[in-house]
Amino acid sequence: MFATVFAFLVIVFGAFVRLSNAGLSCPDWPTCYGKATWPGHEQDIARANEAFPERPFETHKAWREQVHRMIAGTLGVLVFALALVAVGRRRRLPAMLLTAAVAAAFGVFLYIKGAYAASAALSLVAIALPLFAALRLDRGGPWRIAVVAFAVVIFQAMLGMWTVTLLLKPVVVMGHLLGGLLTFSLLGYVALRLTDTRVPTADQRSLQPMVIVALVLLAIQIALGGWTSANYAALACGVDFPKCAGSWWPMTDFREAFVLWRGIGVNYEGGVLDAAARAAIQITHRIGAVVVFGHILATAVLAWRRGLRMPGVLAGVLVCTQVALGIANVKLLLPLPLATAHNGVAALLLLSLIALLVRTQPPHGDDQPDISSFRRSASGYRRNDGSDSVTP
């Protein structure tokens, strides 16, 4: 639960960094102008500006980016600890996770030294080992997911690196957002699944497909939101709502709007798309919001009627809040507190749907011994002397 809350804070702070245009405030990775923290003295700042003349040092931005990296690294350590707890003392699995951690650390070291190919190879090993350990683990779903979360965190670190080295490439920025929310979702699911012991009714279980559809739709909408932000299309329609730039359907260019890969070497800070392409992205995001709003609200109402009142109310309130924040961001020209809150409420809405999913599933009992089956099996054993006592 602590790791889940911490992951939420990392997401919100990451949104604050991105929306305050501090994503490239440290031009190198994982250091910041060659420092473990960031330049503080005048002579350090002078050296930083000399080493990176294309990116002059800005204290008010650099600290945000580097602090975000530090707390994200702390989250990685927490997830690693959870993975170790999940595998317990099972043979070879802890060693796999330790090897993955060492490979990831050496991958970062080699990246700093410029050995990019070797760094990438070690990073792939670091991602593959936890996934293999999760497959080998003889515990139930939540425990395996805790191990998978470690692999996701390692890949998320790579996305953070690529965000800087590929100069805010939109597909990487969007992937980084989704990776953070996936980490948060996996941790939230594990925490809720291992602690919720309530048994759902048949009506509540029948709601599960609708909840899964809601999660898929919300994930797509979050990806659209990340694409909107990464392409600086949040204000493509000006302050008009529900119209866009004074029209119900302005000039749009959907073909250019959703090109995922445009090559390497382009600096995407500030965006490279024209007004028509950005308008297409914004309109798509708005249409998606209507679909997601309707489905989640219907799911919340059904959950309330079937006795899942708390998660149903949370989902309903959060989806309404999220729509209100989206409209307010447009009308008020994307103020930083509201834009950051828009990301935070999206994460909470996602968690509320995960809570609803957990409430529609049978309680977790993978590690509970089946006493009745044990007794039935034991009853078949007899001592050689014919007595009914069972030998341990």
Side-chain angles (χ1 to χ4, degrees), residues 152 156 159 174-184:
V152 173
Q156 179 70 349
L159 286 171
M174 179 182 70
H176 196 43
L177 170 67
L178 292 177
L181 287 168
L182 177 59
T183 304
F184 172 66

Side-chain angles (χ1 to χ4, degrees), residues 85-111:
V85 170
V87 299
R89 296 183 179 180
R90 285 157 177 81
R91 186 179 179 184
R92 295 193 181 95
L93 299 188
M96 286 184 188
L97 297 184
L98 289 169
T99 303
V102 172
F106 269 99
V108 172
F109 175 77
L110 290 176
Y111 180 86

Side-chain angles (χ1 to χ4, degrees), residues 301-320:
V301 171
L302 283 176
W304 168 271
R305 290 180 176 177
R306 297 183 186 185
L308 301 175
R309 296 194 171 183
M310 182 59 71
V313 168
L314 283 175
V317 170
L318 287 169
V319 75
C320 291

Side-chain angles (χ1 to χ4, degrees), residues 282-301:
Q282 176 64 209
I283 289 173
T284 303
H285 187 51
R286 292 185 181 186
I287 293 172
V290 173
V291 175
V292 172
F293 174 75
H295 184 83
I296 292 181
L297 200 59
T299 303
V301 171

